[in-house]
Structure formats: C-alpha cells, structure tokens
Amino acid sequence: MLENTYLIPFYPLLAFVAILFFTRWKERLSSYISIGMVLIALVHSLFVLAAMLSRHGLPMEKAIPFITHPSLHLELGMYIDPLTAVMLMIVTIVSSCVQIYSIGYMHGDPRYSRYFSYLSLFTFSMLGLVIANNFFMLFIFWELVGLTSYLLIGFWFEKKSAADAGKKAFITTRIGDLGFIIGILILAAYAGTLNYQQVFEKVASGVLAPGIITLAGIFIFCGAVGKSAQFPLHVWLPDAMEGPTPVSALIHAATMVAAGVYLVARAMSLFVGSAEASTAIAVIGVITSLMAATIALVQNDIKRILAYSTVSQLGYMIMALGLYGADTALGHHSPGFVAGTFHLMTHAFFKALLFLGAGSVIHAVHTNDIQDMGGLSKKMKITATTFFIASLSIAGIFPLSGFWSKDEIVATTAGHPVFMFLALTIAFMTAFYMFRLCFLAFTGKPRVQEKYDHAHESPNTMTWPLMFLAFLSIGAGWVGLPWLSHGFSSFVYHEQIHHSEPSYILMLASTVVALSGIGLAYMIYYKQRFSADALAEKFKPLHTLLYNKYYIDEFYNIVIIQPLLKFTDFLWWFDAHIIDGLVNFVGWLIIKWADIKQWFDQYIVDGAVNGMGYACMAGARLFRYLQNGSLQFYTLIVIGSAVGLIIYRVTSRGFIYYLLGASIMVLIRSIIRTSGMEKASTETNVQD
C-alpha cells in the first residue's frame, strides 16, 4: 500500500478533471464525484497510516530522475514517514467533512459545480505538497495551493470585497514565497540537491557552513510566514473570510495555513543546524500568537474572531517548533517538534468544527455579527453543542483534544520563562474570546428578534460533519495521554527517545488559566456582572487599537501601498507625457517636415517647372503674331526698326526710350489691327 501512496493526490485531481470536462452541467453528480474521490483518498490514507504504524515509523522513499545536471539533480518522488501519514489523514478527513457539509451550504449557488471542482484541485495541491520528497516538488504544489486558495477566497468575485480579499491573499503570500524560492536556490547552489534527506545529511555532517544554513533556513521560513499568516504577513488571513465558510474551514484547518507549519516541521533538520534561525522562528511565532489573540478579544465578526484565533494558534505551533530547533542546536532536549505537529493535528479538527459551526450559524441568521445573535442554542442544539465542544477543546480543557496538545506546547517552554508566561497568557485570552463568542451567540436573549425568528437548525448534510468533528475534537488528542506519549513521540521521531515525566504542575496551571478565561467571559457576557461596554469605554484607546488590528493594514497602506501607487502614477505620467510626448513630438516633427517638403515640392519645384512652361507658352502666344504672313506687317516692322536704330544713334537716351515706347505702342496697335483684319478676312472667306 505504501508503494502506491502517490495515487492519493490523483483521486481529487481526477474529480477536478471529470467535473471540468464532463459533469459541470450536472451539479449533484459533480458534488458526488468530488466527495467520492476524497473519501477514496481518505481510505487510502488510512491504510498508509496503518502501514507506517506496522513499520514503527520507518520512512519510505521512491523517486525518479527529472532533470540531471552536473551541479544539480532534480527528481519527482514521494517521501512517506509518520509526519506524512498524519498530514494525509488530517487533509483527507477535513476535506471530506467540508465537502459533505458544502452540499447543504452551497445549495442553490449558480457556480455549484465549479465550487466542488476548485475544492478537489485544492485538496490535490495540498496532498501533493505533503508527499513530496524534495523542495522542488514541494514548491510546485506550494504555488498550486496559493492559486487554488485565490480561486476559492474570491469565489464570489462579483463582490468587490471578495475579489480584493483574493488578490490580497495571493499577493501577500507571494511576498513570502519570494523568500522561500531564494532559500531553495541557496540550498541548490551549496548542497547540489533539493532532496530532503540529502540536504539534511549535509547539514548534519557539516558540509554546509553555519552561515549558509542560517541564511537558507530564514529564507525558507519566509514561505511559512506567508502561508501560515505569521507576523508581518498575517494581514491576508482575516480578509480571506470573504470566501464561502466551508472554504474558510478548509484553509484554516487542513490546507493552506497548515502548509506553513508543515514546511517548518518537514525542514526541522535544517533549522536545528542554526540556533539563530530557530530562535527567530520562535520569536516570530510568539509575537504572532500574542498579537492575534489580543485582536480577537474585541472583534464582533464571528468568522474574523475564528480567523485571528487561527493566526494565534499557528503562532503557538511555530513557537514550539522554533524552540525545539533552538534547544536542539544548543544540545538540549525539547519536545517542541512533537508539540507543534501534535497541535497541528488537534487544531485541524476543532478549528474545522468551529468554522463549520460558524457557517451553520450564518446560514441560519444571515449575519456574521455576534452582537446581532443570542439565544441560538434553543433553536440550533446540534450546532451549539458541537461549537461549545470545539471551544472547550481550543481553550485546553481536560480531557478534550486541545488540552493534550496545548499542554505539550506549554511544556516546550520549560526553561524559557518569558515564552512560558506569554504562552499561558495567550491560553487565557484564547479561552476568554472563544467563550465570549459562545455566550454572545448561543446564550441569553435574542438581540435581534427578526434574525432569531428566522434561525433554524442546519440540514443533516451540515450537522453530520459537525458531530463527526466534535468526536475528533474530544478524542483525537488522547494519543497524547501520559502513558501513550512514549509510543506517539517515538512514532513521530522514528526512534525510541527518552522522556521526562509529564509535568502535572504545568497541566494544572494551564487548566487554571483556561478556566479563568472562561470564568471571566462567563461573568461579563453571561451573568453580566460587569458591563462590556463600560470596560470598552474605560480602556477606549486600547480597545480602539485592538479593534483596528493595531492599524497594521493602515500602516502598510501609508508606508507601502500609497507610495507604490504614487510611484506608479508617476511612471504613468512619465510614460504618457515624457516617453509618449517625445514619441508624439518626433511624429509631429516628421509630419511637419513632410508638410514642408510637400509644400516646397508643390509650390517651389513644381512652381518653377510650371512657371517655365507658362513663360514659354506666354512667349509663344506673343511671338506667334510676328508670324502672321502679312507682307505689310513685315514691312512696317522693318521700317520701324530702321527708324528706331537711326533715332538711337542721333538722339539722347531719354528720347530714345520715349520713341522706343511709342514704337512699341504703335507696333502693338498694328498687331491688333492686323489681327482684326485677318479675322474679318477669314470670316469673308467663309461666307464666300
């Protein structure tokens, strides 16, 4: 079964092709094909997990050459280890639940078949990313994940907000991907290969210089910063809520944002070679987690609260992985790798449940604002119950899944007092904002009666996935029980490792912190012992800062976006007025020069030629009268010429001019008379 693991991504790809070319006009059939293929992928993934358990986590790799070059060898292959097996299960389980849920949620949408084809392509991209055995293949599927997320976030592109959200997600993650590809190129240049195991062996053997490892590690982490919405590239994820809610569940739980954490976990052997890179990862993770948790405290959009919760939980995972890398590089043991990947698994189930539960609420009341809800547990018992289970799990309440994975993360911070304090603070805020949401949405009296009256429980296609995910939110984390943690950790690490005894003090402390957060939310939003509005007014500057998300979007708009827009406006002006102006001026100059040449040719050259012709014709007309054949006229000319010559000889020049002028006048008069006589003679001859 392991040898055929490469088929798992092709099941949803087959569904995408079938819908695109054959069944897109048949909506129900399209959804059944998509769901059927992802269920087959789920079953196959289950067999892969069982096979890995039977092999005690021993990895298996298969590859074929793709491009061979003296300095670089690229291949297409798969690498199956416990991390791969767990991720295959996460992706296929959540994708199956989301697609079944979408039958009811997307009912009546005009692009129903297209929606399921996009989901299939999205699932294919993530599964291909998971099984890749090298950074080259991973990057190809990484970009496919980015493309399909763009298509799904902007699925309702007729809304400007959805179209803008899709573009924002695509462009922001491309910034991180630029760093990612630089890191890949650094590895290709210095390691001569992009195969995971070959790169990691060179790191462990000291072939790669520490500076190169640090540089490559930080740039590769940039990809995770973009995909997993870590500070400062976290701004796209809350806006991604513009897509259909099942898409939000898939993105936040098992695909796009999970890809970044998976990348860090997969490249952990690279990061442990650099304490500096690992520490940077841990710091970015805890900053992101703390910042997102504080923002979620005051949001009112149910999906945005969950979105910032996702950002915060992803930061939790990244922090744990970073601390593991930093501690290992310093020669100390840390359970951070297990904690990060463990929380990635449990988080996928309860976060998918939370988003699908939110979708069920929105489907019922047609609003995202929790201030317009209230009392919905009376009409939506399944949705409310499963939502409370997921909230208890993410808050880390014993014995639900989130308790065990969160406890692992808190244990990771042992020896790091600042990180431990911040981790517990984040746990408190997580419990508070989740139960603020629960109490405002599902308990108390309806705040908007019209919306409450319209509320109803969702159809079975939506509630069945909720119940299944609620079961996983309760029990999936039990693999982290103290008496099972040895086996689970050994499965993840591929080997037997020494474990210290579980810290019951930390368990108790994290539980007390979580219960304190729930208790405070209970007192404010359920019992209403304190006025939330009064507290907001008392701490108005802080509340405003958090509600506006630290003005990071506005900061980016002022510092980056507006200057870029101004620069592009300048480039447009320069192109329109300088470049185009110069081109247009040259064109105008050439046209004017052509006009001058045309005028010169027409009036000077042609004028001179035509003038000579006209002069010749005028001279011919004048002198033809001298050839009229009249003897008397010829005699007159001879006598006149002789007289004029004599006068010229004997008189002054002035008098000569006078006589010459008089002679010319006489001559002309004679010509006219002669011409008249000839005409009369001609007419007489004609009459005769």
Side-chain angles (χ1 to χ4, degrees):
M1 187 60 69
L2 284 178
E3 291 77 8
N4 297 323
T5 304
Y6 68 90
L7 292 174
I8 293 177
F10 285 96
Y11 299 132
L13 179 63
L14 180 62
F16 169 74
V17 173
I19 295 171
L20 183 65
F21 291 104
F22 303 107
T23 68
R24 65 179 182 270
W25 301 280
K26 300 177 181 179
E27 295 182 346
R28 281 290 178 183
L29 180 59
S30 297
S31 64
Y32 294 154
I33 290 174
S34 182
I35 293 170
M37 288 296 102
V38 77
L39 287 175
I40 293 173
L42 171 58
V43 173
H44 197 157
S45 299
L46 188 60
F47 281 112
V48 170
L49 179 63
M52 288 306 300
L53 287 170
S54 67
R55 291 164 59 94
H56 303 288
L58 182 66
M60 188 205 73
E61 183 174 12
K62 289 182 67 176
I64 58 174
F66 180 63
I67 297 176
T68 302
H69 188 270
S71 60
L72 180 64
H73 175 71
L74 298 179
E75 58 190 13
L76 301 178
M78 63 178 185
Y79 182 76
I80 312 301
D81 67 346
L83 179 60
T84 304
V86 171
M87 284 300 300
L88 288 174
M89 290 300 301
I90 292 172
V91 174
T92 53
I93 287 174
V94 176
S95 295
S96 300
C97 292
V98 165
Q99 294 206 27
I100 294 171
Y101 179 95
S102 297
I103 294 175
Y105 191 88
M106 296 300 291
H107 177 71
D109 192 276
R111 294 188 290 273
Y112 188 86
S113 294
R114 181 188 295 184
Y115 170 81
F116 278 93
S117 70
Y118 287 171
L119 285 183
S120 296
L121 184 62
F122 200 9
T123 305
F124 158 74
S125 304
M126 188 63 192
L127 291 173
L129 183 152
V130 167
I131 69 169
N133 76 323
N134 60 82
F135 288 104
F136 168 70
M137 271 188 66
L138 184 143
F139 187 77
I140 292 174
F141 286 106
W142 186 272
E143 292 305 303
L144 274 174
V145 168
L147 169 64
T148 47
S149 66
Y150 165 76
L151 295 174
L152 285 167
I153 292 170
F155 184 75
W156 289 322
F157 54 81
E158 60 273 11
K159 293 195 306 181
K160 186 178 185 303
S161 57
D164 290 344
K167 290 185 289 185
K168 185 176 183 179
F170 189 80
I171 294 171
T172 304
T173 54
R174 294 292 76 70
I175 296 172
D177 292 352
L178 176 62
F180 186 17
I181 197 170
I182 292 173
I184 291 175
L185 293 175
I186 291 173
L187 289 179
Y190 287 92
T193 179
L194 293 177
N195 179 277
Y196 294 148
Q197 301 312 307
Q198 294 173 9
V199 170
F200 300 155
E201 286 172 4
K202 292 191 176 186
V203 171
S205 62
V207 173
L208 297 180
I212 297 300
I213 296 174
T214 300
L215 195 63
I218 290 175
F219 275 116
I220 286 176
F221 178 62
C222 288
V225 170
K227 279 288 192 292
S228 287
Q230 298 297 287
F231 177 83
L233 300 181
H234 65 284
V235 292
W236 68 268
L237 192 57
D239 290 344
M241 299 302 97
E242 292 293 336
T245 302
V247 171
S248 301
L250 191 58
I251 289 176
H252 286 249
T255 51
M256 187 170 179
V257 298
V261 179
Y262 172 78
L263 172 63
V264 176
R266 174 58 70 201
M268 206 68 245
S269 297
L270 173 66
F271 294 122
V272 297
S274 171
E276 295 80 6
S278 297
T279 302
I281 291 172
V283 171
I284 291 294
V286 74
I287 290 174
T288 303
S289 186
L290 181 64
M291 179 189 64
T294 56
I295 294 173
L297 294 173
V298 299
Q299 299 301 308
N300 292 321
D301 186 308
I302 187 171
K303 291 176 68 176
R304 287 186 179 272
I305 294 172
L306 297 180
Y308 280 108
S309 170
T310 299
V311 175
S312 181
Q313 295 300 304
L314 292 171
Y316 235 43
M317 302 172 207
I318 294 293
M319 177 193 70
L321 291 170
L323 288 176
Y324 166 75
D327 284 352
T328 304
L330 294 172
H332 302 296
H333 168 71
S334 170
F337 181 80
V338 175
T341 53
F342 187 20
H343 197 59
L344 176 63
M345 179 188 71
T346 60
H347 176 265
F349 300 137
F350 56 68
K351 184 52 61 70
L353 175 55
L354 288 170
F355 268 104
L356 295 184
S360 181
V361 171
I362 295 169
H363 185 265
V365 298
H366 300 291
T367 182
N368 290 28
D369 194 341
I370 58 176
Q371 300 292 345
D372 293 340
M373 301 176 190
L376 294 178
S377 61
K378 299 174 184 177
K379 287 195 170 187
M380 307 178 69
K381 294 186 181 300
I382 296 176
T383 299
T385 301
T386 55
F387 202 95
F388 268 93
I389 289 172
S391 299
L392 288 168
S393 187
I394 194 175
I397 301 301
F398 177 87
L400 280 73
S401 296
F403 168 79
W404 305 106
S405 58
K406 186 196 73 173
D407 180 67
E408 288 274 5
I409 289 179
V410 174
T412 303
T413 62
H416 304 275
V418 175
F419 282 95
M420 178 177 289
F421 173 76
L422 293 177
L424 291 174
T425 302
I426 293 165
F428 172 82
M429 290 190 288
T430 301
F432 176 82
Y433 66 66
M434 284 308 307
F435 277 85
R436 170 181 177 263
L437 189 163
C438 289
F439 292 138
L440 287 176
F442 296 104
T443 66
K445 297 180 180 179
R447 295 177 187 80
V448 179
Q449 191 65 38
E450 179 184 357
K451 296 186 181 300
Y452 177 79
D453 293 339
H454 186 270
H456 56 84
E457 186 58 274
S458 299
N460 290 336
T461 54
M462 296 173 66
T463 55
W464 289 343
L466 295 181
M467 291 185 284
F468 177 70
L469 288 170
F471 169 75
L472 293 176
S473 297
I474 294 171
W478 291 354
V479 294
L481 290 172
W483 54 86
L484 293 178
S485 61
H486 178 74
F488 175 79
S489 300
S490 299
F491 174 65
V492 174
Y493 274 104
H494 321 157
E495 58 184 4
Q496 297 293 324
I497 60 173
H498 173 70
H499 281 270
S500 58
E501 290 298 320
S503 175
Y504 294 104
I505 295 178
L506 280 180
M507 287 185 182
L508 179 62
S510 63
T511 301
V512 170
V513 166
L515 290 174
S516 300
I518 296 173
L520 182 60
Y522 176 81
M523 296 298 291
I524 296 175
Y525 297 102
Y526 186 82
K527 285 295 187 179
Q528 298 181 352
R529 298 287 178 83
F530 308 101
S531 171
D533 293 335
L535 289 172
E537 187 64 29
K538 183 176 181 180
F539 301 100
K540 188 173 182 179
L542 179 60
H543 182 274
T544 302
L545 179 67
L546 298 180
Y547 186 79
N548 289 283
K549 302 162 289 187
Y550 292 99
Y551 295 98
I552 293 177
D553 281 295
E554 290 77 5
F555 174 79
Y556 286 163
N557 184 58
I558 294 173
V559 175
I560 298 175
I561 297 175
Q562 289 303 320
L564 282 176
L565 290 176
K566 294 294 184 183
F567 183 62
T568 54
D569 288 342
F570 167 75
L571 292 179
W572 177 88
W573 176 88
F574 186 82
D575 181 69
H577 293 84
I578 305 301
I579 304 298
D580 286 354
L582 181 61
V583 172
N584 294 337
F585 173 74
V586 172
W588 175 86
L589 194 61
I590 291 173
I591 291 172
K592 290 301 180 184
W593 175 245
D595 289 343
I596 292 172
K597 289 179 64 179
Q598 192 269 345
W599 179 88
F600 186 83
D601 182 71
Q602 180 177 355
Y603 294 101
I604 304 301
V605 177
D606 288 355
V609 173
N610 294 336
M612 292 298 295
Y614 291 143
C616 290
M617 291 176 64
R621 290 191 187 97
L622 177 63
F623 287 107
R624 72 182 179 181
Y625 295 116
L626 299 177
Q627 304 294 329
N628 58 9
S630 174
L631 183 60
Q632 294 89 340
F633 180 70
Y634 296 156
T635 304
L636 178 62
I637 290 175
V638 172
I639 295 172
S641 299
V643 171
L645 182 60
I646 293 169
I647 293 172
Y648 174 75
R649 292 291 185 180
V650 299
T651 62
S652 64
R653 183 170 298 180
F655 183 69
I656 289 173
Y657 290 154
Y658 172 79
L659 291 179
L660 180 59
S663 298
I664 291 172
M665 293 299 295
V666 171
L667 177 60
I668 293 172
R669 186 174 181 182
S670 298
I671 292 171
I672 294 172
R673 284 183 176 181
T674 303
S675 178
M677 290 172 62
E678 289 176 350
K679 183 177 179 183
S681 175
T682 303
E683 291 176 353
T684 302
N685 293 334
V686 171
Q687 291 176 358
D688 291 343

PDB file of all heavy atoms in Angstrom, residues 580-599:
ATOM      1  N   ASP A 580       5.746  59.068 -24.210  1.00  0.00           N
ATOM      2  CA  ASP A 580       4.780  59.262 -25.295  1.00  0.00           C
ATOM      3  C   ASP A 580       4.904  60.664 -25.883  1.00  0.00           C
ATOM      4  O   ASP A 580       4.721  60.851 -27.094  1.00  0.00           O
ATOM      5  CB  ASP A 580       3.353  59.044 -24.788  1.00  0.00           C
ATOM      6  CG  ASP A 580       3.060  57.570 -24.552  1.00  0.00           C
ATOM      7  OD1 ASP A 580       3.926  56.751 -24.890  1.00  0.00           O
ATOM      8  OD2 ASP A 580       1.980  57.251 -24.044  1.00  0.00           O
ATOM      9  N   GLY A 581       5.201  61.668 -25.023  1.00  0.00           N
ATOM     10  CA  GLY A 581       5.348  63.034 -25.518  1.00  0.00           C
ATOM     11  C   GLY A 581       6.509  63.150 -26.496  1.00  0.00           C
ATOM     12  O   GLY A 581       6.398  63.810 -27.538  1.00  0.00           O
ATOM     13  N   LEU A 582       7.624  62.497 -26.144  1.00  0.00           N
ATOM     14  CA  LEU A 582       8.773  62.526 -27.037  1.00  0.00           C
ATOM     15  C   LEU A 582       8.465  61.821 -28.351  1.00  0.00           C
ATOM     16  O   LEU A 582       8.784  62.326 -29.439  1.00  0.00           O
ATOM     17  CB  LEU A 582       9.969  61.861 -26.343  1.00  0.00           C
ATOM     18  CG  LEU A 582      11.273  61.820 -27.145  1.00  0.00           C
ATOM     19  CD1 LEU A 582      11.738  63.242 -27.463  1.00  0.00           C
ATOM     20  CD2 LEU A 582      12.334  61.052 -26.372  1.00  0.00           C
ATOM     21  N   VAL A 583       7.818  60.658 -28.236  1.00  0.00           N
ATOM     22  CA  VAL A 583       7.446  59.924 -29.449  1.00  0.00           C
ATOM     23  C   VAL A 583       6.476  60.744 -30.292  1.00  0.00           C
ATOM     24  O   VAL A 583       6.623  60.854 -31.522  1.00  0.00           O
ATOM     25  CB  VAL A 583       6.829  58.561 -29.074  1.00  0.00           C
ATOM     26  CG1 VAL A 583       6.251  57.870 -30.309  1.00  0.00           C
ATOM     27  CG2 VAL A 583       7.867  57.668 -28.413  1.00  0.00           C
ATOM     28  N   ASN A 584       5.478  61.324 -29.616  1.00  0.00           N
ATOM     29  CA  ASN A 584       4.495  62.132 -30.351  1.00  0.00           C
ATOM     30  C   ASN A 584       5.133  63.366 -30.978  1.00  0.00           C
ATOM     31  O   ASN A 584       4.768  63.774 -32.087  1.00  0.00           O
ATOM     32  CB  ASN A 584       3.347  62.543 -29.424  1.00  0.00           C
ATOM     33  CG  ASN A 584       2.527  61.358 -28.963  1.00  0.00           C
ATOM     34  OD1 ASN A 584       2.517  60.312 -29.615  1.00  0.00           O
ATOM     35  ND2 ASN A 584       1.843  61.507 -27.838  1.00  0.00           N
ATOM     36  N   PHE A 585       6.102  63.992 -30.253  1.00  0.00           N
ATOM     37  CA  PHE A 585       6.773  65.165 -30.806  1.00  0.00           C
ATOM     38  C   PHE A 585       7.578  64.806 -32.051  1.00  0.00           C
ATOM     39  O   PHE A 585       7.558  65.526 -33.051  1.00  0.00           O
ATOM     40  CB  PHE A 585       7.691  65.785 -29.751  1.00  0.00           C
ATOM     41  CG  PHE A 585       8.554  66.901 -30.283  1.00  0.00           C
ATOM     42  CD1 PHE A 585       7.999  68.147 -30.574  1.00  0.00           C
ATOM     43  CD2 PHE A 585       9.907  66.699 -30.522  1.00  0.00           C
ATOM     44  CE1 PHE A 585       8.792  69.175 -31.070  1.00  0.00           C
ATOM     45  CE2 PHE A 585      10.694  67.714 -31.019  1.00  0.00           C
ATOM     46  CZ  PHE A 585      10.140  68.957 -31.302  1.00  0.00           C
ATOM     47  N   VAL A 586       8.288  63.666 -31.969  1.00  0.00           N
ATOM     48  CA  VAL A 586       9.045  63.221 -33.142  1.00  0.00           C
ATOM     49  C   VAL A 586       8.103  62.951 -34.303  1.00  0.00           C
ATOM     50  O   VAL A 586       8.378  63.331 -35.446  1.00  0.00           O
ATOM     51  CB  VAL A 586       9.874  61.969 -32.798  1.00  0.00           C
ATOM     52  CG1 VAL A 586      10.499  61.373 -34.051  1.00  0.00           C
ATOM     53  CG2 VAL A 586      10.962  62.309 -31.780  1.00  0.00           C
ATOM     54  N   GLY A 587       6.965  62.315 -34.003  1.00  0.00           N
ATOM     55  CA  GLY A 587       5.978  62.067 -35.053  1.00  0.00           C
ATOM     56  C   GLY A 587       5.450  63.360 -35.644  1.00  0.00           C
ATOM     57  O   GLY A 587       5.320  63.496 -36.871  1.00  0.00           O
ATOM     58  N   TRP A 588       5.141  64.331 -34.741  1.00  0.00           N
ATOM     59  CA  TRP A 588       4.638  65.633 -35.214  1.00  0.00           C
ATOM     60  C   TRP A 588       5.693  66.336 -36.065  1.00  0.00           C
ATOM     61  O   TRP A 588       5.387  66.921 -37.110  1.00  0.00           O
ATOM     62  CB  TRP A 588       4.274  66.486 -34.011  1.00  0.00           C
ATOM     63  CG  TRP A 588       3.852  67.880 -34.365  1.00  0.00           C
ATOM     64  CD1 TRP A 588       2.617  68.307 -34.716  1.00  0.00           C
ATOM     65  CD2 TRP A 588       4.709  69.046 -34.404  1.00  0.00           C
ATOM     66  NE1 TRP A 588       2.618  69.644 -34.978  1.00  0.00           N
ATOM     67  CE2 TRP A 588       3.894  70.137 -34.794  1.00  0.00           C
ATOM     68  CE3 TRP A 588       6.060  69.265 -34.160  1.00  0.00           C
ATOM     69  CZ2 TRP A 588       4.390  71.423 -34.934  1.00  0.00           C
ATOM     70  CZ3 TRP A 588       6.553  70.540 -34.293  1.00  0.00           C
ATOM     71  CH2 TRP A 588       5.736  71.603 -34.680  1.00  0.00           C
ATOM     72  N   LEU A 589       6.959  66.254 -35.593  1.00  0.00           N
ATOM     73  CA  LEU A 589       8.038  66.901 -36.326  1.00  0.00           C
ATOM     74  C   LEU A 589       8.208  66.283 -37.714  1.00  0.00           C
ATOM     75  O   LEU A 589       8.392  67.004 -38.715  1.00  0.00           O
ATOM     76  CB  LEU A 589       9.337  66.763 -35.528  1.00  0.00           C
ATOM     77  CG  LEU A 589      10.511  67.650 -35.955  1.00  0.00           C
ATOM     78  CD1 LEU A 589      10.150  69.125 -35.819  1.00  0.00           C
ATOM     79  CD2 LEU A 589      11.743  67.315 -35.133  1.00  0.00           C
ATOM     80  N   ILE A 590       8.121  64.988 -37.786  1.00  0.00           N
ATOM     81  CA  ILE A 590       8.257  64.308 -39.086  1.00  0.00           C
ATOM     82  C   ILE A 590       7.112  64.699 -40.007  1.00  0.00           C
ATOM     83  O   ILE A 590       7.301  64.941 -41.209  1.00  0.00           O
ATOM     84  CB  ILE A 590       8.312  62.782 -38.873  1.00  0.00           C
ATOM     85  CG1 ILE A 590       9.630  62.406 -38.186  1.00  0.00           C
ATOM     86  CG2 ILE A 590       8.173  62.035 -40.198  1.00  0.00           C
ATOM     87  CD1 ILE A 590       9.713  60.956 -37.776  1.00  0.00           C
ATOM     88  N   ILE A 591       5.897  64.760 -39.417  1.00  0.00           N
ATOM     89  CA  ILE A 591       4.736  65.148 -40.238  1.00  0.00           C
ATOM     90  C   ILE A 591       4.896  66.582 -40.747  1.00  0.00           C
ATOM     91  O   ILE A 591       4.626  66.878 -41.926  1.00  0.00           O
ATOM     92  CB  ILE A 591       3.440  65.000 -39.424  1.00  0.00           C
ATOM     93  CG1 ILE A 591       3.155  63.506 -39.176  1.00  0.00           C
ATOM     94  CG2 ILE A 591       2.260  65.641 -40.158  1.00  0.00           C
ATOM     95  CD1 ILE A 591       2.009  63.263 -38.234  1.00  0.00           C
ATOM     96  N   LYS A 592       5.340  67.491 -39.865  1.00  0.00           N
ATOM     97  CA  LYS A 592       5.539  68.879 -40.295  1.00  0.00           C
ATOM     98  C   LYS A 592       6.631  68.970 -41.355  1.00  0.00           C
ATOM     99  O   LYS A 592       6.515  69.735 -42.331  1.00  0.00           O
ATOM    100  CB  LYS A 592       5.906  69.756 -39.091  1.00  0.00           C
ATOM    101  CG  LYS A 592       4.755  69.978 -38.125  1.00  0.00           C
ATOM    102  CD  LYS A 592       3.576  70.636 -38.825  1.00  0.00           C
ATOM    103  CE  LYS A 592       2.411  70.873 -37.878  1.00  0.00           C
ATOM    104  NZ  LYS A 592       1.234  71.435 -38.590  1.00  0.00           N
ATOM    105  N   TRP A 593       7.706  68.214 -41.162  1.00  0.00           N
ATOM    106  CA  TRP A 593       8.772  68.199 -42.158  1.00  0.00           C
ATOM    107  C   TRP A 593       8.252  67.678 -43.498  1.00  0.00           C
ATOM    108  O   TRP A 593       8.586  68.222 -44.557  1.00  0.00           O
ATOM    109  CB  TRP A 593       9.925  67.356 -41.659  1.00  0.00           C
ATOM    110  CG  TRP A 593      11.051  67.169 -42.642  1.00  0.00           C
ATOM    111  CD1 TRP A 593      11.452  66.024 -43.221  1.00  0.00           C
ATOM    112  CD2 TRP A 593      11.898  68.193 -43.162  1.00  0.00           C
ATOM    113  NE1 TRP A 593      12.505  66.224 -44.059  1.00  0.00           N
ATOM    114  CE2 TRP A 593      12.810  67.581 -44.047  1.00  0.00           C
ATOM    115  CE3 TRP A 593      11.992  69.581 -42.967  1.00  0.00           C
ATOM    116  CZ2 TRP A 593      13.781  68.287 -44.741  1.00  0.00           C
ATOM    117  CZ3 TRP A 593      12.981  70.277 -43.655  1.00  0.00           C
ATOM    118  CH2 TRP A 593      13.857  69.639 -44.527  1.00  0.00           C
ATOM    119  N   ALA A 594       7.405  66.661 -43.420  1.00  0.00           N
ATOM    120  CA  ALA A 594       6.789  66.144 -44.646  1.00  0.00           C
ATOM    121  C   ALA A 594       5.891  67.201 -45.290  1.00  0.00           C
ATOM    122  O   ALA A 594       5.849  67.333 -46.524  1.00  0.00           O
ATOM    123  CB  ALA A 594       5.995  64.881 -44.337  1.00  0.00           C
ATOM    124  N   ASP A 595       5.152  67.947 -44.433  1.00  0.00           N
ATOM    125  CA  ASP A 595       4.298  69.016 -44.979  1.00  0.00           C
ATOM    126  C   ASP A 595       5.142  70.079 -45.678  1.00  0.00           C
ATOM    127  O   ASP A 595       4.773  70.584 -46.753  1.00  0.00           O
ATOM    128  CB  ASP A 595       3.480  69.660 -43.844  1.00  0.00           C
ATOM    129  CG  ASP A 595       2.400  68.726 -43.333  1.00  0.00           C
ATOM    130  OD1 ASP A 595       2.068  67.755 -44.044  1.00  0.00           O
ATOM    131  OD2 ASP A 595       1.894  68.966 -42.215  1.00  0.00           O
ATOM    132  N   ILE A 596       6.280  70.439 -45.060  1.00  0.00           N
ATOM    133  CA  ILE A 596       7.152  71.450 -45.675  1.00  0.00           C
ATOM    134  C   ILE A 596       7.706  70.936 -46.994  1.00  0.00           C
ATOM    135  O   ILE A 596       7.743  71.663 -48.004  1.00  0.00           O
ATOM    136  CB  ILE A 596       8.303  71.805 -44.702  1.00  0.00           C
ATOM    137  CG1 ILE A 596       7.736  72.539 -43.474  1.00  0.00           C
ATOM    138  CG2 ILE A 596       9.356  72.655 -45.401  1.00  0.00           C
ATOM    139  CD1 ILE A 596       8.755  72.758 -42.384  1.00  0.00           C
ATOM    140  N   LYS A 597       8.143  69.687 -47.004  1.00  0.00           N
ATOM    141  CA  LYS A 597       8.652  69.103 -48.245  1.00  0.00           C
ATOM    142  C   LYS A 597       7.566  69.073 -49.316  1.00  0.00           C
ATOM    143  O   LYS A 597       7.821  69.352 -50.500  1.00  0.00           O
ATOM    144  CB  LYS A 597       9.171  67.688 -47.977  1.00  0.00           C
ATOM    145  CG  LYS A 597      10.471  67.646 -47.180  1.00  0.00           C
ATOM    146  CD  LYS A 597      10.911  66.219 -46.924  1.00  0.00           C
ATOM    147  CE  LYS A 597      11.245  65.524 -48.241  1.00  0.00           C
ATOM    148  NZ  LYS A 597      11.701  64.142 -48.012  1.00  0.00           N
ATOM    149  N   GLN A 598       6.355  68.728 -48.881  1.00  0.00           N
ATOM    150  CA  GLN A 598       5.249  68.684 -49.855  1.00  0.00           C
ATOM    151  C   GLN A 598       4.959  70.076 -50.410  1.00  0.00           C
ATOM    152  O   GLN A 598       4.749  70.255 -51.616  1.00  0.00           O
ATOM    153  CB  GLN A 598       4.007  68.092 -49.172  1.00  0.00           C
ATOM    154  CG  GLN A 598       2.881  67.729 -50.127  1.00  0.00           C
ATOM    155  CD  GLN A 598       1.890  68.872 -50.329  1.00  0.00           C
ATOM    156  OE1 GLN A 598       1.892  69.821 -49.542  1.00  0.00           O
ATOM    157  NE2 GLN A 598       1.105  68.803 -51.396  1.00  0.00           N
ATOM    158  N   TRP A 599       4.982  71.097 -49.516  1.00  0.00           N
ATOM    159  CA  TRP A 599       4.750  72.473 -49.967  1.00  0.00           C
ATOM    160  C   TRP A 599       5.867  72.932 -50.897  1.00  0.00           C
ATOM    161  O   TRP A 599       5.616  73.546 -51.944  1.00  0.00           O
ATOM    162  CB  TRP A 599       4.672  73.389 -48.752  1.00  0.00           C
ATOM    163  CG  TRP A 599       4.465  74.829 -49.117  1.00  0.00           C
ATOM    164  CD1 TRP A 599       3.300  75.483 -49.313  1.00  0.00           C
ATOM    165  CD2 TRP A 599       5.511  75.801 -49.338  1.00  0.00           C
ATOM    166  NE1 TRP A 599       3.510  76.789 -49.645  1.00  0.00           N
ATOM    167  CE2 TRP A 599       4.861  77.017 -49.672  1.00  0.00           C
ATOM    168  CE3 TRP A 599       6.908  75.756 -49.293  1.00  0.00           C
ATOM    169  CZ2 TRP A 599       5.580  78.189 -49.960  1.00  0.00           C
ATOM    170  CZ3 TRP A 599       7.604  76.909 -49.577  1.00  0.00           C
ATOM    171  CH2 TRP A 599       6.957  78.103 -49.906  1.00  0.00           C
TER     172      TRP A 599
END
